[in-house]
Amino acid sequence: MDTIKLETQGEKLIVKAPFHPEMSPKARDLGGKWDSKQSVWTFDPRDEQAVREMLIALFGTDGSPVATTTVLHEVTTKEAAEPQLWLCGRKVAERVTRDSKVRLGQGVRYSDPEKMFPERGGSAKYPALEGTGVVLEIRDVPVTFVGGEISKEETKSPLADVDTSVLIAELERRGYWVSRQ
């Protein structure tokens, strides 16, 4: 995820954050002004707490370090009808035109490579993801989006308790050659 910076410069609170479709209206509600020369939002420093809360609501952090996790998300019918999918403070998928492939966001992967978005979707005027049931793995999601802190037990690899012989057998069944070192 792009870096979020919040600092005071003179009589202004300066916020540099990546694009989010909800940022402009929420920032304006707090009296923020867009400075196009610096590509930053400026606020009254007295509103710092409200600005921090807005950033946490949008991005999961106000720029402070935060624990992260991986989230699996199954695309719903409603989400599949849209050209973009925004989750966890970032764009996770986008189809630019009806005939273009879906582009996944940074740190986003298909959970099952056999269940992906179709090659094309929607209409010429209204492109759509068209992938109901596709499961996306979204990495580096701030825990504030999933609630609470994560224990050491929860941060272990999801494959830690998997019998690797089962995985190897499945890979070989699918035609992959597996080195057994």
Side-chain angles (χ1 to χ4, degrees):
M1 175 177 264
D2 293 331
T3 306
I4 296 167
K5 293 182 182 169
L6 187 123
E7 62 186 19
T8 304
Q9 291 180 1
E11 296 295 314
K12 294 180 181 177
L13 178 66
I14 306 294
V15 174
K16 181 154 182 80
F19 174 79
H20 191 290
E22 296 177 26
M23 178 75 170
S24 291
K26 288 185 182 292
R28 289 195 200 309
D29 286 348
L30 294 175
K33 297 195 180 352
W34 177 248
D35 181 340
S36 59
K37 290 181 182 178
Q38 296 183 61
S39 295
V40 296
W41 283 94
T42 62
F43 297 89
D44 185 314
R46 294 172 290 187
D47 296 325
E48 182 174 350
Q49 186 58 39
V51 171
R52 286 184 183 279
E53 289 170 5
M54 173 195 65
L55 293 170
I56 291 168
L58 292 175
F59 302 104
T61 180
D62 60 2
S64 304
V66 63
T68 60
T69 188
T70 298
V71 172
L72 294 178
H73 177 78
E74 184 173 346
V75 177
T76 66
T77 303
K78 183 178 179 182
E79 292 166 341
E82 297 295 325
Q84 296 180 345
L85 176 58
W86 283 78
L87 296 167
C88 305
R90 59 185 150 161
K91 186 181 343 177
V92 297
E94 175 180 38
R95 186 184 304 273
V96 179
T97 67
R98 171 191 63 193
D99 299 323
S100 65
K101 289 184 178 181
V102 170
R103 288 187 235 159
L104 298 180
Q106 182 179 356
V108 180
R109 303 286 176 263
Y110 290 104
S111 177
D112 180 357
E114 293 188 16
K115 180 97 170 139
M116 300 168 46
F117 290 108
E119 291 291 317
R120 55 193 311 213
S123 65
K125 189 172 181 180
Y126 301 105
L129 296 172
E130 298 285 343
T132 301
V134 170
V135 179
L136 300 173
E137 178 183 302
I138 309 166
R139 299 175 181 165
D140 304 320
V141 175
V143 295
T144 51
F145 282 121
V146 292
E149 290 296 315
I150 294 181
S151 68
K152 293 289 184 201
E153 182 66 22
E154 292 174 281
T155 59
K156 72 179 182 180
S157 167
L159 299 177
D161 298 326
V162 173
D163 181 357
T164 56
S165 63
V166 173
L167 289 174
I168 291 170
E170 178 62 17
L171 287 169
E172 289 174 341
R173 185 189 71 77
R174 293 183 182 199
Y176 291 93
W177 179 83
V178 180
S179 172
R180 298 176 192 253
Q181 296 181 8

